[in-house]
Amino acid sequence: MLSQPASKYRPFAPIRLADRTWPDAVLKRAPIWLSTDLRDGNQALVEPMDATRKLRMYEMLLRIGFKQIEVGFPAASQIEFDFLRKLIDENRIPDDVTIQVMTPAREELIERTIEALRGAPRAIVHVYNAVAPAWREVVFGMTIPEVMELVKGSIQQVRRLTDAQPETEWTLQYSPETFSLAELDVSAQACETAIAAWGEGRPIILNLPTTVENATPNVFADQIEWMSRRFGARPGVVLSVHPHNDRGTGTASAELALMAGADRVEGCLFGNGERTGNLDVVNVALNLYTQGVAPGLDFSDIDAVRAEVEYCNQLPVSPRHPYAGDLVYTSFSGSHQDAIKKAFAARRETDVWNIPYLPIDPKDLGRSYEAVIRVNSQSGKGGISYLLEHEYGLQLPRRLQIEFSQIVQREMDVGGKELTAQDIYALFERSYHPSQEALQNLSMQATGDDVQVHAIWKGQAISGSGNGPVDALTQAFCTATGCQVRVLDYHEHAIGSGADARAMAYVELRVNEQQTLFGVGMHHDITCAALSALANGVGRAALAPTAQYEVATA
């Protein structure tokens, strides 16, 4: 047994491409997209889609905007054959959409495949064979010349059979399967052989897959640029890539391949596929979107797309999946929440999107802002105040945010669970009683600059005078309680508009030069809201131990 397992592996050799240009390229347009959900994705499912689920997936792909869809492997089974016939016979292929089918380079399977396509308006016939050393030498026991003869014979057969059906617009797709693991000159020779057999200048897609990821994405980009220099300017040739995700870098490989000259990308929604999956088309498309490039695919209702894919594939999409997961726009961290809250407050509708921790506007994908900030034991004042403002219209002053976040944190420490916006508001109500009528029989009289206030508070008649209602009630509380009460700060704002508008008032108090705390009041009249806030604040000071509400004011 090897003492170090790593010693049995060998790094993939770099590509000698000293004058590579792809590192300086910028993606400015979307590629041609091909969905292979119905073929490569379907064959990777524990339970492949039945006809009903497959049709639902196909119709969703059309709605999203795919113009090329690999609909199956018709020579593999009668179910696959019949599904393709259903699309053709029932005229389910829109005029601007081309279907693609796949077949290995085997004579009987090629014949069955072309038979299945009879009557299709347009079709891409995808033929593949493996060209990498391990497959040539170990799996098939073939020499390079024998591989080339296989390619030549298979493509000539496709040409012969498709020429017999001139009513269909035919495109050949040839894949030197296992391209990423093969010698570039062997892959190029296979492609040259396919072009010659199909006919120079006729439409052909050269599809270059990372059948199994074996190197860093920059190596794949070098391979694509090498092939692009050889084939990129050839009439009728489209360079395509089909990345897998064995190393977890399928998205990076696709993006760098596009920078290196690829015109077309194959993949599946949310990366379903063999082993660790195919390229995630949603990921690449929305990465383009965040760079100001329209992807040409419609993911404006990402939750509906995800739900349909989960139904058809019978596989869940991770809550952390890029762009589509339940939690990908959610911040629990206090510092993250604070940054998001401030950026939203500063942003104007016409501004370029520049919100910390949110690379894309959730609303562009049909999401609301409700899940952007959620509160757990890792959260801070920013997230708490964001939820109260966003869900209930409360604009807490900064020092009240600090004070209330400590109350929330104590609640979290006891329960240990996430708090919803509704939970937080209920806790705010229990702590500050903003809706409570703390004063009864309130009356005010003004004589010049002097205002007198009379009220019943906790069953006791209180009176005071001052240079305004708040000052007068403050003096009344000082007399009634024997405490020194000072108003340090005051904030107010409206919630709603018209007849339903309410005023919110926040009063910061200092009691006996020992305790600093807030009172909150809500009323249809702003003066009554301010006086309620003062009364609620004094009530909190009188009813609670000083240490419980002593907070830092920095």
Side-chain angles (χ1 to χ4, degrees):
M1 181 176 178
L2 296 171
S3 59
Q4 291 293 333
S7 65
K8 69 181 178 184
Y9 301 103
R10 296 291 179 269
F12 192 83
I15 308 303
R16 302 303 176 189
L17 198 68
D19 57 343
R20 60 182 60 85
T21 61
W22 64 261
D24 295 323
V26 176
L27 297 179
K28 296 182 179 179
R29 60 183 176 85
I32 301 165
W33 302 105
L34 175 115
S35 161
T36 187
D37 291 86
L38 295 171
R39 198 277 303 170
D40 206 351
N42 189 44
Q43 75 182 31
L45 299 176
V46 176
E47 295 184 8
M49 287 179 266
D50 58 20
T52 300
R53 283 189 286 145
K54 202 167 186 184
L55 186 60
R56 281 182 62 164
M57 176 72 82
Y58 173 75
E59 291 175 343
M60 180 184 62
L61 294 171
L62 294 178
R63 291 194 299 272
I64 290 171
F66 284 95
K67 302 306 179 185
Q68 296 185 3
I69 301 173
E70 192 167 49
V71 296
F73 197 153
S77 70
Q78 191 63 41
I79 293 175
E80 293 283 286
F81 189 97
D82 291 345
F83 178 75
L84 175 56
R85 292 310 314 166
K86 181 181 181 68
L87 298 183
I88 297 171
D89 295 340
E90 296 181 3
N91 297 315
R92 290 178 177 270
I93 305 169
D95 291 340
D96 60 346
V97 172
T98 301
I99 58 171
Q100 175 172 307
V101 295
M102 189 177 191
T103 176
R106 288 174 51 186
E107 183 176 350
E108 71 279 10
L109 298 182
I110 290 173
E111 185 172 352
R112 177 73 165 163
T113 299
I114 303 303
E115 178 188 349
L117 285 166
R118 186 172 298 279
R122 293 158 306 283
I124 300 169
V125 181
H126 179 190
V127 180
Y128 72 94
N129 66 287
V131 298
W135 279 260
R136 293 194 316 256
E137 299 162 8
V138 178
V139 180
F140 300 111
M142 298 176 73
T143 65
I144 291 176
E146 288 173 331
V147 169
M148 299 311 152
E149 281 300 313
L150 175 65
V151 175
K152 179 181 176 181
S154 298
I155 302 306
Q156 286 177 339
Q157 181 189 8
V158 173
R159 178 168 183 173
R160 185 172 62 254
L161 293 172
T162 55
D163 283 350
Q165 297 184 35
E167 68 277 10
T168 298
E169 181 182 322
W170 298 100
T171 298
L172 173 70
Q173 175 165 311
Y174 173 67
S175 289
E177 185 71 356
T178 64
F179 164 80
S180 59
L181 296 123
E183 311 93 327
L184 281 170
D185 57 344
V186 173
S187 295
Q189 186 180 349
C191 291
E192 293 282 9
T193 302
I195 291 172
W198 180 242
E200 195 80 39
R202 298 184 72 185
I204 184 171
I205 299 166
L206 299 180
N207 189 52
L208 308 174
T210 55
T211 304
V212 179
E213 279 201 313
N214 60 300
T216 50
N218 62 295
V219 172
F220 185 58
D222 282 347
Q223 291 173 319
I224 298 303
E225 182 162 339
W226 192 96
M227 293 290 284
S228 179
R229 293 180 185 185
R230 184 152 179 172
F231 297 100
R234 298 274 282 274
V237 172
V238 171
L239 282 184
S240 178
V241 292
H242 182 113
H244 278 255
N245 200 43
D246 300 270
R247 291 168 53 92
T249 57
T251 294
S253 293
E255 291 179 327
L256 297 190
L258 291 172
M259 293 163 62
D263 309 297
R264 182 175 179 268
V265 169
E266 295 190 353
C268 293
L269 299 174
F270 309 120
N272 177 47
E274 298 276 19
R275 304 179 308 279
T276 56
N278 288 281
L279 169 72
D280 178 2
V281 170
V282 178
N283 201 163
V284 178
L286 294 179
N287 280 356
L288 286 173
Y289 197 45
T290 67
Q291 301 305 301
V293 177
L297 299 175
D298 183 3
F299 294 115
S300 59
D301 190 353
I302 196 72
D303 289 343
V305 172
R306 185 190 66 199
E308 191 75 340
V309 171
E310 288 181 325
Y311 169 78
C312 292
N313 288 342
Q314 302 293 291
L315 288 174
V317 173
S318 167
R320 294 295 182 189
H321 199 98
Y323 299 111
D326 281 333
L327 297 176
V328 294
Y329 306 113
T330 300
S331 287
F332 290 104
S333 162
S335 60
H336 292 192
Q337 293 173 345
D338 189 56
I340 293 170
K341 177 179 179 291
K342 290 175 179 175
F344 268 126
R347 186 176 186 275
R348 297 169 300 181
E349 190 64 32
T350 56
D351 289 347
V352 171
W353 184 256
N354 187 28
I355 302 295
Y357 304 108
L358 291 175
I360 196 169
D361 186 346
K363 284 191 174 179
D364 290 339
L365 304 183
R367 290 280 188 89
S368 70
Y369 294 141
E370 292 179 9
V372 167
I373 290 178
R374 290 164 59 175
V375 174
N376 66 10
S377 60
Q378 305 301 307
S379 306
K381 68 182 189 308
I384 295 164
S385 58
Y386 173 87
L387 288 177
L388 288 177
E389 180 172 355
H390 186 265
E391 299 294 324
Y392 297 97
L394 305 184
Q395 302 170 19
L396 274 57
R398 182 175 180 276
R399 287 193 293 275
L400 177 53
Q401 294 177 27
I402 296 171
E403 178 180 299
F404 183 54
S405 69
Q406 295 184 1
I407 297 173
V408 174
Q409 188 63 53
R410 285 195 295 272
E411 186 83 2
M412 290 297 310
D413 289 343
V414 172
K417 297 181 179 179
E418 177 188 353
L419 295 182
T420 65
Q422 185 176 2
D423 294 332
I424 293 170
Y425 184 74
L427 182 58
F428 186 80
E429 284 273 4
R430 293 198 304 272
S431 302
Y432 295 95
H433 310 290
S435 305
Q436 178 176 301
E437 293 287 349
L439 299 170
Q440 284 78 45
N441 299 332
L442 175 66
S443 64
M444 290 175 283
Q445 297 174 327
T447 305
D449 294 334
D450 184 65
V451 175
Q452 291 188 334
V453 172
H454 307 277
I456 302 297
W457 178 68
K458 294 183 178 296
Q460 174 184 2
I462 60 172
S463 300
S465 61
N467 57 17
V470 172
D471 184 43
L473 186 60
T474 301
Q475 300 307 318
F477 282 129
C478 289
T479 301
T481 64
C483 297
Q484 181 184 0
V485 179
R486 287 195 296 124
V487 175
L488 300 180
D489 205 359
Y490 173 77
H491 296 266
E492 65 182 44
H493 67 81
I495 298 178
S497 59
D500 293 329
R502 291 167 296 166
M504 289 295 302
Y506 310 95
V507 178
E508 185 178 18
L509 303 176
R510 185 71 173 168
V511 179
N512 288 336
E513 299 303 325
Q514 294 179 336
Q515 196 178 169
T516 301
L517 74 163
F518 275 85
V520 182
M522 179 170 58
H523 200 279
H524 290 288
D525 178 81
I526 185 59
T527 300
C528 291
L531 297 182
S532 291
L534 178 58
N536 287 332
V538 172
R540 290 180 67 228
L543 295 174
T546 300
Q548 184 175 356
Y549 293 105
E550 189 71 45
V551 298
T553 58

